Amino acid sequence: MVREHSIESFYGKLRESALASASNTPLLIFPSTSDVDSLCALKIIGHVLESDSVRYACYPVSSFKEIHKYAGPSLSSLSDEPITILLINWGCHRDLKKVLEIGPVARVFVVDSHRPIHLHNLSHQNDRVVVLYTGDDENQADLSYDFDVSALAAASDLNSDDEIEEDDSDSEDENESDGDDDGGNGNRKKRRLSEDGETDPLKLFRKLKKEYYHMGTFHGKPSGCLMYELSHYLRKNTNELLWLACVSLTDQFVHERLTNERYQAGVMELEQHINSSGNLDTLTSVTLKDGTKICAPDSSRIAYEDEPRLMLLQEWNLFDSMLCSSYMATKLKTWSDNGTKKLMLLLAQMGFALDESKQKFRYMSVEIKRKMKDMFEHFLPDYGLNDFYYRGFLLLHGYSSKVSAADVVYGVTALLESSQSTGSCAFGEAYDALSLKKLEKLEMGMRHAIKIQRAILRQGSTAITRKGSIRSGSKFRWVKLEDSADTKLLGFPQALTKFGYFLMDALREKGAKMKPLICVCYTQGREKVLIVGVCGKPRLGAVQGNAFGIAFRNSAEEIGAEFFHEMFESSWIVLEAVAVNSFMIRLTEKLM
Amino acid sequence: MYGRKACQLVKELENSESGQLTGFNTDLFAQVIEQCDGHVNNLQALLRKMQEVGSENQTAKNADHFGALMHHLSLVRNKRCLMAYVYNRAEIVQTLGWTVDCVLPEEIEEKLSSSEREYFKNHSATLKSYMSDLDIDLALDMVPPKDPYIKVRVLEEIGTVVLSDQLANLARHAILFLRRTDAEQYIAQGKMEELTG
């Protein structure tokens, strides 16, 4: 049984399997190094496993094949020593059994927010792979299927070669192998599917399968939130874990991986958790040795508040944050003279002195901080900024520190994608920065995030203002980043994605028609390029997610260039720099 | 000034963090010994002179007496300082014998003088034979741990090793949750760090 509907039984199985193999190897956890959500989920599940005394070893990975470096031969060999593996936030969109060459005694558990899930991973016949995919998650997804995914998965044939669905030419042999291999069981299910009118079950199956994969990629519920639900169910939840869940929801929000509606729903759910775990008592009294009672703030508590869409305020100053934050910068066009004038005018209208707002935010006058919200809400609509405030989370630590979940996401993502340290080392830094006791590491990350945001503003404004930098095709636009200093900062998937969203916002403000955008950025000293496809913020009821994955892979294969498509998001690909032009031509033909 | 060099030696000891070794100051140590030799020569010369002159001349006798006393006291003081220097270092070396397994890390080894190295070797050999006689590992932590398990990060590539009952790949930067007893030796060698919070 491969699709697991309930978190509790998923964990139950994981624990059982880990304990069964504990006599020869610890549970192997492979978190993805690509996003903050995976870090949060790792920390939460780690806490749960620790309290159950399950020994584990955790190796951060950034591509599919890396796992073999750590897991050793027992993963795929025929030895009879069982091995249990947990993948966090990667893997379910590829056929894991095939891609990872899983042997008969290895068991792989997957917690992943990437969608769609490869049907083979969900199939009943594939009992080596267990994917956590709750019914709620299926029903509340941003893109909804009008058919039953489980039934479709059950009908899929494990031996078929449908890594990514293509045309119908190879369907004949698939037809035969279907009948031979699964026996009656598979056929019966197919018949059930066929009740919706289509007569030939195989044709219907193929049609639905195509529909399923061609919807493109999108994201399900953040893994961190799922894992928090687990800890809650097991009564092992703490405030610290709740904060991690808040951060992982905010991660999806900041990187535009979910619709506003689903974010709101997620926020409400977490707010309830926050209320029920006693975060509302703002002050607690402490009794000293001699009996005097004093009021002291709770050591740390989580609060939810309307937050301005200004980046990294705590580590920056109001003026620069307004100048550079994507939301405000694209609306006011702060890179132009006109835009800066508007910004100054806005500050003047609100009555904030310029030198005061250029003061580091922490030391800015308290009066301005107090008036800020009222003033913004009063004056911003005149400039067309209507949804400047959003519901966000804050972590208050005594009187001394206050940090917002969004800033944590920016800071930790910057640490994950900093050029000084790579892969697993950067993961370690980010892991430390997420713990509440090491604020200095987080501050370091935030300072790096500020550098990245400035680079986004620099490159974004050049691309917008210089004619011909953004090339436009019929189905998509594309832009190439060549500046040698800024490509060092932006040559990472998440940073480049942020850059892409910045450009799309700016183009929308210019009144351009909305089209998906492909960003190309030189990395590794101009020998390679990183290509990221961005499709715009997911909207409720959309029919298509990010459909670049399949097209990227096919185009790269067809032009015969060396490429690397093993990263955890199918809309990310690394190519040889010389092949970029032929790749783009091929891609344009494909997406006509 | 007599005794200043020896004093420097002791000061050096005092300025270093407690439990931490600084490099053995061979130069200064030799200089102090040289000074001692000087004191001995001077002292013997004065004693001889006093015997020759006899007890008749009261004034000369006093000056010589005081001179001899000065040299004698400086000698004793230098000796005390040297002893203190060697003794305190020896104590640190001894505690190392309890915490580090037989082989000293290079950065500590180069701070020891040759006789200290010898001392460490003999001391840890003695400890080892004593513990094997008793069949108890006396080097373990005296305070029982709260949790038999510990979360660590691997700081240096160690490779695949057999822990008490499991086979684990201790790759650099990996995070592990394992038995405390398995991790202790690597933590002592600085190859792992405990993760808290």
Side-chain angles (χ1 to χ4, degrees), chain A residues 95 98 118-120 125 153 155-165 170-171 173-178 181-182 202 205-206 209 213:
Chain A
D95 183 0
K98 192 183 286 153
H118 197 283
L119 290 175
H120 288 182
Q125 301 152 42
S156 79
D157 175 17
L158 284 186
N159 299 317
S160 71
D161 208 23
D162 59 349
E163 177 63 4
I164 272 139
E165 308 315 294
D170 61 340
S171 52
D173 36 275
E174 201 183 292
N175 189 353
E176 280 160 25
S177 63
D178 257 2
D181 296 342
D182 342 333
L202 265 171
F205 169 63
R206 223 170 288 128
K209 195 162 74 172
Y213 286 118

PDB file of all heavy atoms in Angstrom, chain A residues 95 98 118-120 125 153 155-165 170-171 173-178 181-182 202 205-206 209 213:
ATOM      1  N   ASP A  95       9.615   8.614 -10.692  1.00  0.00           N
ATOM      2  CA  ASP A  95       9.387   7.230 -10.287  1.00  0.00           C
ATOM      3  C   ASP A  95      10.558   6.780  -9.415  1.00  0.00           C
ATOM      4  O   ASP A  95      11.611   6.396  -9.908  1.00  0.00           O
ATOM      5  CB  ASP A  95       9.278   6.358 -11.544  1.00  0.00           C
ATOM      6  CG  ASP A  95       8.974   4.914 -11.181  1.00  0.00           C
ATOM      7  OD1 ASP A  95       8.863   4.630  -9.973  1.00  0.00           O
ATOM      8  OD2 ASP A  95       8.839   4.098 -12.090  1.00  0.00           O
ATOM      9  N   LYS A  98      12.428   3.406  -9.737  1.00  0.00           N
ATOM     10  CA  LYS A  98      13.332   3.279 -10.865  1.00  0.00           C
ATOM     11  C   LYS A  98      14.521   4.232 -10.745  1.00  0.00           C
ATOM     12  O   LYS A  98      15.677   3.837 -10.900  1.00  0.00           O
ATOM     13  CB  LYS A  98      12.568   3.548 -12.152  1.00  0.00           C
ATOM     14  CG  LYS A  98      13.385   3.152 -13.352  1.00  0.00           C
ATOM     15  CD  LYS A  98      12.678   3.485 -14.647  1.00  0.00           C
ATOM     16  CE  LYS A  98      11.535   2.583 -14.970  1.00  0.00           C
ATOM     17  NZ  LYS A  98      10.539   3.238 -15.791  1.00  0.00           N
ATOM     18  N   HIS A 118       4.211  11.195  -8.907  1.00  0.00           N
ATOM     19  CA  HIS A 118       4.297  10.184  -9.960  1.00  0.00           C
ATOM     20  C   HIS A 118       3.372   9.026  -9.612  1.00  0.00           C
ATOM     21  O   HIS A 118       3.376   8.529  -8.496  1.00  0.00           O
ATOM     22  CB  HIS A 118       5.739   9.693 -10.078  1.00  0.00           C
ATOM     23  CG  HIS A 118       5.999   8.983 -11.361  1.00  0.00           C
ATOM     24  ND1 HIS A 118       5.599   7.710 -11.592  1.00  0.00           N
ATOM     25  CD2 HIS A 118       6.606   9.408 -12.496  1.00  0.00           C
ATOM     26  CE1 HIS A 118       5.956   7.361 -12.812  1.00  0.00           C
ATOM     27  NE2 HIS A 118       6.572   8.365 -13.392  1.00  0.00           N
ATOM     28  N   LEU A 119       2.595   8.596 -10.599  1.00  0.00           N
ATOM     29  CA  LEU A 119       1.575   7.582 -10.310  1.00  0.00           C
ATOM     30  C   LEU A 119       2.178   6.284  -9.786  1.00  0.00           C
ATOM     31  O   LEU A 119       1.592   5.604  -8.954  1.00  0.00           O
ATOM     32  CB  LEU A 119       0.755   7.308 -11.569  1.00  0.00           C
ATOM     33  CG  LEU A 119      -0.169   8.454 -11.982  1.00  0.00           C
ATOM     34  CD1 LEU A 119      -0.839   8.137 -13.288  1.00  0.00           C
ATOM     35  CD2 LEU A 119      -1.215   8.706 -10.908  1.00  0.00           C
ATOM     36  N   HIS A 120       3.384   5.963 -10.251  1.00  0.00           N
ATOM     37  CA  HIS A 120       3.999   4.718  -9.772  1.00  0.00           C
ATOM     38  C   HIS A 120       4.267   4.757  -8.276  1.00  0.00           C
ATOM     39  O   HIS A 120       4.258   3.742  -7.609  1.00  0.00           O
ATOM     40  CB  HIS A 120       5.311   4.463 -10.523  1.00  0.00           C
ATOM     41  CG  HIS A 120       5.082   4.062 -11.940  1.00  0.00           C
ATOM     42  ND1 HIS A 120       6.098   3.739 -12.792  1.00  0.00           N
ATOM     43  CD2 HIS A 120       3.940   3.941 -12.654  1.00  0.00           C
ATOM     44  CE1 HIS A 120       5.599   3.440 -13.973  1.00  0.00           C
ATOM     45  NE2 HIS A 120       4.292   3.565 -13.916  1.00  0.00           N
ATOM     46  N   GLN A 125       0.793  -1.546  -6.047  1.00  0.00           N
ATOM     47  CA  GLN A 125       1.717  -2.647  -6.283  1.00  0.00           C
ATOM     48  C   GLN A 125       3.142  -2.307  -5.871  1.00  0.00           C
ATOM     49  O   GLN A 125       4.006  -3.157  -5.807  1.00  0.00           O
ATOM     50  CB  GLN A 125       1.710  -3.001  -7.777  1.00  0.00           C
ATOM     51  CG  GLN A 125       0.350  -3.395  -8.287  1.00  0.00           C
ATOM     52  CD  GLN A 125       0.245  -3.074  -9.764  1.00  0.00           C
ATOM     53  OE1 GLN A 125       1.163  -3.306 -10.517  1.00  0.00           O
ATOM     54  NE2 GLN A 125      -0.892  -2.535 -10.162  1.00  0.00           N
ATOM     55  N   ALA A 153      -3.804   5.746 -10.092  1.00  0.00           N
ATOM     56  CA  ALA A 153      -2.508   5.203  -9.703  1.00  0.00           C
ATOM     57  C   ALA A 153      -2.550   3.695  -9.687  1.00  0.00           C
ATOM     58  O   ALA A 153      -1.618   3.012 -10.109  1.00  0.00           O
ATOM     59  CB  ALA A 153      -2.117   5.731  -8.333  1.00  0.00           C
ATOM     60  N   ALA A 155      -4.259   1.843 -11.493  1.00  0.00           N
ATOM     61  CA  ALA A 155      -4.319   1.308 -12.842  1.00  0.00           C
ATOM     62  C   ALA A 155      -2.986   1.409 -13.564  1.00  0.00           C
ATOM     63  O   ALA A 155      -2.775   0.766 -14.575  1.00  0.00           O
ATOM     64  CB  ALA A 155      -5.389   2.050 -13.630  1.00  0.00           C
ATOM     65  N   SER A 156      -2.090   2.228 -13.052  1.00  0.00           N
ATOM     66  CA  SER A 156      -0.847   2.433 -13.790  1.00  0.00           C
ATOM     67  C   SER A 156       0.043   1.210 -13.646  1.00  0.00           C
ATOM     68  O   SER A 156       0.054   0.528 -12.634  1.00  0.00           O
ATOM     69  CB  SER A 156      -0.130   3.675 -13.282  1.00  0.00           C
ATOM     70  OG  SER A 156       0.552   3.392 -12.101  1.00  0.00           O
ATOM     71  N   ASP A 157       0.791   0.971 -14.702  1.00  0.00           N
ATOM     72  CA  ASP A 157       1.599  -0.230 -14.756  1.00  0.00           C
ATOM     73  C   ASP A 157       3.036   0.106 -14.372  1.00  0.00           C
ATOM     74  O   ASP A 157       3.681   0.947 -14.980  1.00  0.00           O
ATOM     75  CB  ASP A 157       1.534  -0.779 -16.177  1.00  0.00           C
ATOM     76  CG  ASP A 157       2.462  -1.956 -16.334  1.00  0.00           C
ATOM     77  OD1 ASP A 157       2.883  -2.511 -15.299  1.00  0.00           O
ATOM     78  OD2 ASP A 157       2.752  -2.309 -17.483  1.00  0.00           O
ATOM     79  N   LEU A 158       3.520  -0.575 -13.351  1.00  0.00           N
ATOM     80  CA  LEU A 158       4.849  -0.252 -12.830  1.00  0.00           C
ATOM     81  C   LEU A 158       5.952  -0.483 -13.842  1.00  0.00           C
ATOM     82  O   LEU A 158       6.993   0.135 -13.782  1.00  0.00           O
ATOM     83  CB  LEU A 158       5.134  -1.116 -11.599  1.00  0.00           C
ATOM     84  CG  LEU A 158       4.438  -0.691 -10.330  1.00  0.00           C
ATOM     85  CD1 LEU A 158       4.930  -1.532  -9.189  1.00  0.00           C
ATOM     86  CD2 LEU A 158       4.713   0.774 -10.053  1.00  0.00           C
ATOM     87  N   ASN A 159       5.748  -1.411 -14.728  1.00  0.00           N
ATOM     88  CA  ASN A 159       6.843  -1.739 -15.626  1.00  0.00           C
ATOM     89  C   ASN A 159       6.900  -0.841 -16.846  1.00  0.00           C
ATOM     90  O   ASN A 159       7.856  -0.861 -17.589  1.00  0.00           O
ATOM     91  CB  ASN A 159       6.713  -3.194 -16.086  1.00  0.00           C
ATOM     92  CG  ASN A 159       6.772  -4.121 -14.896  1.00  0.00           C
ATOM     93  OD1 ASN A 159       7.600  -3.934 -14.010  1.00  0.00           O
ATOM     94  ND2 ASN A 159       5.871  -5.076 -14.845  1.00  0.00           N
ATOM     95  N   SER A 160       5.861  -0.071 -17.053  1.00  0.00           N
ATOM     96  CA  SER A 160       5.878   0.780 -18.230  1.00  0.00           C
ATOM     97  C   SER A 160       6.898   1.893 -18.034  1.00  0.00           C
ATOM     98  O   SER A 160       7.303   2.214 -16.922  1.00  0.00           O
ATOM     99  CB  SER A 160       4.499   1.380 -18.464  1.00  0.00           C
ATOM    100  OG  SER A 160       4.245   2.340 -17.473  1.00  0.00           O
ATOM    101  N   ASP A 161       7.264   2.474 -19.136  1.00  0.00           N
ATOM    102  CA  ASP A 161       8.420   3.363 -19.117  1.00  0.00           C
ATOM    103  C   ASP A 161       7.993   4.814 -19.136  1.00  0.00           C
ATOM    104  O   ASP A 161       8.625   5.637 -19.772  1.00  0.00           O
ATOM    105  CB  ASP A 161       9.267   3.033 -20.356  1.00  0.00           C
ATOM    106  CG  ASP A 161      10.718   3.362 -20.083  1.00  0.00           C
ATOM    107  OD1 ASP A 161      11.084   3.397 -18.902  1.00  0.00           O
ATOM    108  OD2 ASP A 161      11.460   3.587 -21.042  1.00  0.00           O
ATOM    109  N   ASP A 162       6.915   5.132 -18.427  1.00  0.00           N
ATOM    110  CA  ASP A 162       6.356   6.471 -18.611  1.00  0.00           C
ATOM    111  C   ASP A 162       6.928   7.477 -17.626  1.00  0.00           C
ATOM    112  O   ASP A 162       6.224   8.117 -16.867  1.00  0.00           O
ATOM    113  CB  ASP A 162       4.831   6.426 -18.484  1.00  0.00           C
ATOM    114  CG  ASP A 162       4.410   5.903 -17.126  1.00  0.00           C
ATOM    115  OD1 ASP A 162       5.285   5.402 -16.407  1.00  0.00           O
ATOM    116  OD2 ASP A 162       3.226   6.008 -16.788  1.00  0.00           O
ATOM    117  N   GLU A 163       8.223   7.607 -17.639  1.00  0.00           N
ATOM    118  CA  GLU A 163       8.902   8.604 -16.803  1.00  0.00           C
ATOM    119  C   GLU A 163       8.212   9.955 -16.928  1.00  0.00           C
ATOM    120  O   GLU A 163       7.785  10.553 -15.976  1.00  0.00           O
ATOM    121  CB  GLU A 163      10.356   8.698 -17.230  1.00  0.00           C
ATOM    122  CG  GLU A 163      11.169   9.732 -16.517  1.00  0.00           C
ATOM    123  CD  GLU A 163      11.285   9.451 -15.036  1.00  0.00           C
ATOM    124  OE1 GLU A 163      10.804   8.415 -14.545  1.00  0.00           O
ATOM    125  OE2 GLU A 163      11.840  10.288 -14.355  1.00  0.00           O
ATOM    126  N   ILE A 164       8.116  10.431 -18.154  1.00  0.00           N
ATOM    127  CA  ILE A 164       7.286  11.582 -18.400  1.00  0.00           C
ATOM    128  C   ILE A 164       6.501  11.286 -19.664  1.00  0.00           C
ATOM    129  O   ILE A 164       7.052  10.776 -20.647  1.00  0.00           O
ATOM    130  CB  ILE A 164       8.129  12.864 -18.545  1.00  0.00           C
ATOM    131  CG1 ILE A 164       8.328  13.459 -17.149  1.00  0.00           C
ATOM    132  CG2 ILE A 164       7.396  13.901 -19.359  1.00  0.00           C
ATOM    133  CD1 ILE A 164       9.548  13.995 -16.762  1.00  0.00           C
ATOM    134  N   GLU A 165       5.219  11.533 -19.608  1.00  0.00           N
ATOM    135  CA  GLU A 165       4.351  11.083 -20.694  1.00  0.00           C
ATOM    136  C   GLU A 165       4.691  11.783 -21.996  1.00  0.00           C
ATOM    137  O   GLU A 165       4.927  12.977 -22.033  1.00  0.00           O
ATOM    138  CB  GLU A 165       2.890  11.357 -20.322  1.00  0.00           C
ATOM    139  CG  GLU A 165       2.505  10.830 -18.986  1.00  0.00           C
ATOM    140  CD  GLU A 165       2.976   9.423 -18.724  1.00  0.00           C
ATOM    141  OE1 GLU A 165       2.500   8.521 -19.404  1.00  0.00           O
ATOM    142  OE2 GLU A 165       3.819   9.240 -17.845  1.00  0.00           O
ATOM    143  N   ASP A 170       4.252   4.837 -28.328  1.00  0.00           N
ATOM    144  CA  ASP A 170       4.712   3.623 -27.645  1.00  0.00           C
ATOM    145  C   ASP A 170       3.575   2.905 -26.920  1.00  0.00           C
ATOM    146  O   ASP A 170       3.792   2.025 -26.126  1.00  0.00           O
ATOM    147  CB  ASP A 170       5.835   3.966 -26.648  1.00  0.00           C
ATOM    148  CG  ASP A 170       5.355   4.928 -25.585  1.00  0.00           C
ATOM    149  OD1 ASP A 170       4.327   5.597 -25.835  1.00  0.00           O
ATOM    150  OD2 ASP A 170       5.991   5.016 -24.535  1.00  0.00           O
ATOM    151  N   SER A 171       2.364   3.303 -27.228  1.00  0.00           N
ATOM    152  CA  SER A 171       1.260   2.773 -26.438  1.00  0.00           C
ATOM    153  C   SER A 171       0.939   1.311 -26.762  1.00  0.00           C
ATOM    154  O   SER A 171       0.340   0.620 -25.965  1.00  0.00           O
ATOM    155  CB  SER A 171       0.010   3.628 -26.642  1.00  0.00           C
ATOM    156  OG  SER A 171      -0.205   3.737 -28.026  1.00  0.00           O
ATOM    157  N   ASP A 173       2.909  -1.438 -27.158  1.00  0.00           N
ATOM    158  CA  ASP A 173       3.525  -2.466 -26.315  1.00  0.00           C
ATOM    159  C   ASP A 173       3.078  -2.324 -24.860  1.00  0.00           C
ATOM    160  O   ASP A 173       2.999  -3.297 -24.124  1.00  0.00           O
ATOM    161  CB  ASP A 173       5.049  -2.442 -26.422  1.00  0.00           C
ATOM    162  CG  ASP A 173       5.588  -1.048 -26.564  1.00  0.00           C
ATOM    163  OD1 ASP A 173       5.638  -0.550 -27.700  1.00  0.00           O
ATOM    164  OD2 ASP A 173       5.921  -0.454 -25.520  1.00  0.00           O
ATOM    165  N   GLU A 174       2.784  -1.104 -24.484  1.00  0.00           N
ATOM    166  CA  GLU A 174       2.277  -0.901 -23.124  1.00  0.00           C
ATOM    167  C   GLU A 174       0.963  -1.653 -22.950  1.00  0.00           C
ATOM    168  O   GLU A 174       0.699  -2.270 -21.933  1.00  0.00           O
ATOM    169  CB  GLU A 174       2.052   0.593 -22.882  1.00  0.00           C
ATOM    170  CG  GLU A 174       2.018   0.986 -21.429  1.00  0.00           C
ATOM    171  CD  GLU A 174       1.729   2.456 -21.278  1.00  0.00           C
ATOM    172  OE1 GLU A 174       2.590   3.269 -21.655  1.00  0.00           O
ATOM    173  OE2 GLU A 174       0.638   2.775 -20.783  1.00  0.00           O
ATOM    174  N   ASN A 175       0.208  -1.593 -24.008  1.00  0.00           N
ATOM    175  CA  ASN A 175      -1.065  -2.278 -24.056  1.00  0.00           C
ATOM    176  C   ASN A 175      -0.908  -3.760 -23.718  1.00  0.00           C
ATOM    177  O   ASN A 175      -1.607  -4.306 -22.871  1.00  0.00           O
ATOM    178  CB  ASN A 175      -1.616  -2.104 -25.485  1.00  0.00           C
ATOM    179  CG  ASN A 175      -3.040  -2.596 -25.586  1.00  0.00           C
ATOM    180  OD1 ASN A 175      -3.539  -3.171 -24.625  1.00  0.00           O
ATOM    181  ND2 ASN A 175      -3.669  -2.359 -26.716  1.00  0.00           N
ATOM    182  N   GLU A 176       0.068  -4.384 -24.363  1.00  0.00           N
ATOM    183  CA  GLU A 176       0.253  -5.810 -24.155  1.00  0.00           C
ATOM    184  C   GLU A 176       0.744  -6.122 -22.738  1.00  0.00           C
ATOM    185  O   GLU A 176       0.213  -6.981 -22.056  1.00  0.00           O
ATOM    186  CB  GLU A 176       1.269  -6.348 -25.162  1.00  0.00           C
ATOM    187  CG  GLU A 176       0.650  -6.601 -26.532  1.00  0.00           C
ATOM    188  CD  GLU A 176       1.718  -6.656 -27.605  1.00  0.00           C
ATOM    189  OE1 GLU A 176       2.880  -6.977 -27.250  1.00  0.00           O
ATOM    190  OE2 GLU A 176       1.396  -6.374 -28.760  1.00  0.00           O
ATOM    191  N   SER A 177       1.756  -5.375 -22.347  1.00  0.00           N
ATOM    192  CA  SER A 177       2.354  -5.695 -21.043  1.00  0.00           C
ATOM    193  C   SER A 177       1.339  -5.512 -19.919  1.00  0.00           C
ATOM    194  O   SER A 177       1.353  -6.220 -18.931  1.00  0.00           O
ATOM    195  CB  SER A 177       3.576  -4.817 -20.788  1.00  0.00           C
ATOM    196  OG  SER A 177       3.184  -3.477 -20.721  1.00  0.00           O
ATOM    197  N   ASP A 178       0.441  -4.577 -20.096  1.00  0.00           N
ATOM    198  CA  ASP A 178      -0.609  -4.377 -19.096  1.00  0.00           C
ATOM    199  C   ASP A 178      -1.357  -5.672 -18.830  1.00  0.00           C
ATOM    200  O   ASP A 178      -1.498  -6.117 -17.712  1.00  0.00           O
ATOM    201  CB  ASP A 178      -1.606  -3.334 -19.611  1.00  0.00           C
ATOM    202  CG  ASP A 178      -1.386  -2.012 -18.941  1.00  0.00           C
ATOM    203  OD1 ASP A 178      -0.434  -1.922 -18.122  1.00  0.00           O
ATOM    204  OD2 ASP A 178      -2.147  -1.088 -19.192  1.00  0.00           O
ATOM    205  N   ASP A 181       0.948  -8.575 -17.240  1.00  0.00           N
ATOM    206  CA  ASP A 181       1.608  -8.502 -15.940  1.00  0.00           C
ATOM    207  C   ASP A 181       0.696  -8.380 -14.730  1.00  0.00           C
ATOM    208  O   ASP A 181       0.914  -9.030 -13.728  1.00  0.00           O
ATOM    209  CB  ASP A 181       2.622  -7.348 -15.923  1.00  0.00           C
ATOM    210  CG  ASP A 181       3.732  -7.611 -16.921  1.00  0.00           C
ATOM    211  OD1 ASP A 181       3.868  -8.774 -17.317  1.00  0.00           O
ATOM    212  OD2 ASP A 181       4.418  -6.658 -17.289  1.00  0.00           O
ATOM    213  N   ASP A 182      -0.321  -7.545 -14.829  1.00  0.00           N
ATOM    214  CA  ASP A 182      -1.043  -7.329 -13.568  1.00  0.00           C
ATOM    215  C   ASP A 182      -2.116  -8.358 -13.291  1.00  0.00           C
ATOM    216  O   ASP A 182      -2.672  -8.388 -12.220  1.00  0.00           O
ATOM    217  CB  ASP A 182      -1.744  -5.963 -13.471  1.00  0.00           C
ATOM    218  CG  ASP A 182      -1.250  -4.958 -14.414  1.00  0.00           C
ATOM    219  OD1 ASP A 182      -0.074  -5.097 -14.790  1.00  0.00           O
ATOM    220  OD2 ASP A 182      -1.988  -4.057 -14.748  1.00  0.00           O
ATOM    221  N   LEU A 202      -8.339   1.357 -21.554  1.00  0.00           N
ATOM    222  CA  LEU A 202      -6.958   1.764 -21.756  1.00  0.00           C
ATOM    223  C   LEU A 202      -6.853   3.167 -22.323  1.00  0.00           C
ATOM    224  O   LEU A 202      -6.014   3.963 -21.927  1.00  0.00           O
ATOM    225  CB  LEU A 202      -6.271   0.789 -22.692  1.00  0.00           C
ATOM    226  CG  LEU A 202      -5.506  -0.302 -21.945  1.00  0.00           C
ATOM    227  CD1 LEU A 202      -5.034  -1.350 -22.917  1.00  0.00           C
ATOM    228  CD2 LEU A 202      -4.354   0.310 -21.180  1.00  0.00           C
ATOM    229  N   PHE A 205      -7.629   5.528 -19.596  1.00  0.00           N
ATOM    230  CA  PHE A 205      -6.503   5.602 -18.670  1.00  0.00           C
ATOM    231  C   PHE A 205      -5.414   6.503 -19.233  1.00  0.00           C
ATOM    232  O   PHE A 205      -4.892   7.377 -18.559  1.00  0.00           O
ATOM    233  CB  PHE A 205      -5.956   4.197 -18.424  1.00  0.00           C
ATOM    234  CG  PHE A 205      -4.655   4.189 -17.699  1.00  0.00           C
ATOM    235  CD1 PHE A 205      -4.561   4.678 -16.400  1.00  0.00           C
ATOM    236  CD2 PHE A 205      -3.504   3.703 -18.304  1.00  0.00           C
ATOM    237  CE1 PHE A 205      -3.366   4.672 -15.744  1.00  0.00           C
ATOM    238  CE2 PHE A 205      -2.303   3.707 -17.642  1.00  0.00           C
ATOM    239  CZ  PHE A 205      -2.230   4.188 -16.359  1.00  0.00           C
ATOM    240  N   ARG A 206      -5.140   6.306 -20.515  1.00  0.00           N
ATOM    241  CA  ARG A 206      -4.063   7.093 -21.119  1.00  0.00           C
ATOM    242  C   ARG A 206      -4.445   8.566 -21.186  1.00  0.00           C
ATOM    243  O   ARG A 206      -3.626   9.450 -20.967  1.00  0.00           O
ATOM    244  CB  ARG A 206      -3.750   6.556 -22.506  1.00  0.00           C
ATOM    245  CG  ARG A 206      -2.244   6.487 -22.728  1.00  0.00           C
ATOM    246  CD  ARG A 206      -1.884   5.753 -23.984  1.00  0.00           C
ATOM    247  NE  ARG A 206      -2.116   4.329 -23.869  1.00  0.00           N
ATOM    248  CZ  ARG A 206      -2.821   3.628 -24.754  1.00  0.00           C
ATOM    249  NH1 ARG A 206      -3.366   4.217 -25.793  1.00  0.00           N
ATOM    250  NH2 ARG A 206      -2.965   2.336 -24.589  1.00  0.00           N
ATOM    251  N   LYS A 209      -4.155   9.969 -17.678  1.00  0.00           N
ATOM    252  CA  LYS A 209      -2.757  10.043 -17.276  1.00  0.00           C
ATOM    253  C   LYS A 209      -2.104  11.272 -17.902  1.00  0.00           C
ATOM    254  O   LYS A 209      -1.389  12.020 -17.252  1.00  0.00           O
ATOM    255  CB  LYS A 209      -2.044   8.773 -17.735  1.00  0.00           C
ATOM    256  CG  LYS A 209      -0.712   8.564 -17.075  1.00  0.00           C
ATOM    257  CD  LYS A 209      -0.260   7.124 -17.205  1.00  0.00           C
ATOM    258  CE  LYS A 209       0.201   6.846 -18.602  1.00  0.00           C
ATOM    259  NZ  LYS A 209       0.838   5.532 -18.754  1.00  0.00           N
ATOM    260  N   TYR A 213      -0.439  14.493 -15.825  1.00  0.00           N
ATOM    261  CA  TYR A 213       0.934  15.013 -15.873  1.00  0.00           C
ATOM    262  C   TYR A 213       1.035  16.360 -16.565  1.00  0.00           C
ATOM    263  O   TYR A 213       1.885  17.167 -16.230  1.00  0.00           O
ATOM    264  CB  TYR A 213       1.852  14.015 -16.574  1.00  0.00           C
ATOM    265  CG  TYR A 213       2.169  12.814 -15.726  1.00  0.00           C
ATOM    266  CD1 TYR A 213       1.811  11.541 -16.120  1.00  0.00           C
ATOM    267  CD2 TYR A 213       2.833  12.964 -14.511  1.00  0.00           C
ATOM    268  CE1 TYR A 213       2.091  10.439 -15.342  1.00  0.00           C
ATOM    269  CE2 TYR A 213       3.121  11.864 -13.728  1.00  0.00           C
ATOM    270  CZ  TYR A 213       2.749  10.606 -14.143  1.00  0.00           C
ATOM    271  OH  TYR A 213       3.028   9.534 -13.361  1.00  0.00           O
TER     272      TYR A 213
END
